[in-house]
Amino acid sequence: MVRVVHAGDFHLDSAFGALTPEQARQRRMESRRTPERLVEWANDHGADLLLLSGDLFDSDSPYGDTAPLLAQALGCFRGQAVIAPGNHDPLTPDGPYARTRWSDNVHIFTEDRMQTITFPDLNCAVHGAAFTAPECPTDSVLPGFRVPQDGLIHIGLLHGDVTTSDSRYRPIRAADIAGSGLDYLALGHVHSCSGVLTAGAVPYAYCGCIEGRGFDELGERGFLFGEVGAGTADLRFVPFARRRYCIAQVDVTDGDALTALERTLPHDTEQDIYRLRLTGTPEQPPRLSLLEEALSDRFFALQLRDETAVRRDLWDKCGEDTLRGLFLQQLRSTCGADPQSQRLMEQAAAFGLAAIDDREV
């Protein structure tokens, strides 16, 4: 058995465009420490192999100290590190992989075809390929590839897109994974952790990105860790993100908006980046500047979105000779006068108007 850490899609030096310039600068500095933190974790947990499945850099022109810091961190790993460059950081003569001095325990695939690195001390071979350009519209590596029956543990390491359709980013077919005979295929490119899947008898997985970079990468992010043996791969997801992106929806219909937010939000949010969507039908529109001032210390970064429909405005078009007006008139005419009925009517109006306007409520 080989104990492996499978990580990738660091996207070092990302822009973090949704943050303020100072917050973005801090996030880039923190992300440059991610490899160091990962190596420390891998050493503490006795990992033999560090499988890095590409897009470690967000582009092939990172800041001057980013690649040397990555190389320094990987040089401290007590095992062997293997890198398969991806579409964001392809292996090119002028790119960071070629310009950087790497320690002897770091191995980088250099060609857009299957290459093999053997580790006799681990009774293991790692097979993989590099992106050598930002796009790779054909899978030129797995079709026809089959591992030898030599008693070694055979691991694949690729950046690509497991799909049944076309892709600009190395489309990989499940049938080719199944036919490879690999004991595990470590993949990068998809930013959500897939957990261990199978194609035929071959286990494979996307580790996901190690840090979220926007509100399209919510919640826990991390890597996979576990053991790979002949015909078996037992890996688990390890949350590792320094900060999480989260979206919360809070109904501020009744009472004070700040009270509703404080009652709803968890208490351990100081490290995280939140988007709060205010919904409901309050008497007055929420004052976002005051809410942001009151709540900003509870988050690393905060966005407030006012998606409320102020109660007095909800019925503005009632009675007009339009779909909106007729809908509101019909709804009001069928509602009782008690508070519960009024609340249900307001909710029905909000949902109905959202449907009419083809938007989310």
Side-chain angles (χ1 to χ4, degrees), residues 2-7 42 46-52 77-82 105 107 117 119 122 124-126 153 155 224-226 228:
V2 182
R3 187 169 291 185
V4 305
V5 167
H6 169 198
D48 303 307
L49 274 178
L50 183 53
L51 304 172
L52 299 176
F77 179 48
R78 298 186 191 125
Q80 301 292 327
V82 188
N105 71 320
H107 313 270
I117 303 168
F119 301 105
L122 299 176
C124 173
V126 180
I153 298 167
I155 296 174
L224 288 165
F225 171 69
V228 177

Side-chain angles (χ1 to χ4, degrees), residues 10-16 27-29 31-32 56-59 61-67 213:
F10 296 176
H11 287 274
L12 299 176
D13 291 341
S14 290
F16 295 100
R27 290 297 291 126
R28 284 192 292 273
M29 290 179 61
S31 69
R32 289 185 198 118
L56 304 187
F57 305 105
D58 195 50
S59 75
S61 301
Y63 288 87
D65 60 343
T66 302
R213 298 175 299 140

Side-chain angles (χ1 to χ4, degrees), residues 163-247:
T163 179
T164 58
S165 59
D166 295 335
S167 173
R168 294 180 296 163
Y169 307 113
R170 184 179 284 136
I172 297 173
R173 312 304 179 192
D176 292 327
I177 298 175
S180 69
L182 289 163
D183 295 305
Y184 177 63
L185 175 58
L187 292 169
H189 185 61
V190 173
H191 286 192
S192 296
C193 179
S194 66
V196 178
L197 308 171
T198 56
V202 176
Y204 71 95
Y206 284 104
C207 57
C209 59
I210 203 163
E211 287 275 352
R213 298 175 299 140
F215 287 105
D216 56 344
E217 297 173 351
L218 300 175
E220 297 288 3
R221 300 282 155 169
F223 56 86
L224 288 165
F225 171 69
E227 293 184 331
V228 177
T232 180
D234 182 15
L235 295 97
R236 62 180 175 88
F237 175 72
V238 179
F240 201 68
R242 177 74 174 78
R243 304 184 190 278
R244 297 173 300 172
Y245 281 81
C246 304
I247 296 176

Side-chain angles (χ1 to χ4, degrees), residues 83-85 90-92 108-116 127-133 136 140-141 157-158 170:
I83 301 173
L91 196 295
T92 61
I108 304 172
F109 293 119
T110 58
E111 298 182 30
D112 187 18
R113 64 179 182 86
M114 220 60 165
Q115 298 174 282
T116 299
H127 312 268
F131 268 71
T132 56
C136 179
S140 57
V141 295
L157 180 63
L158 292 172
R170 184 179 284 136

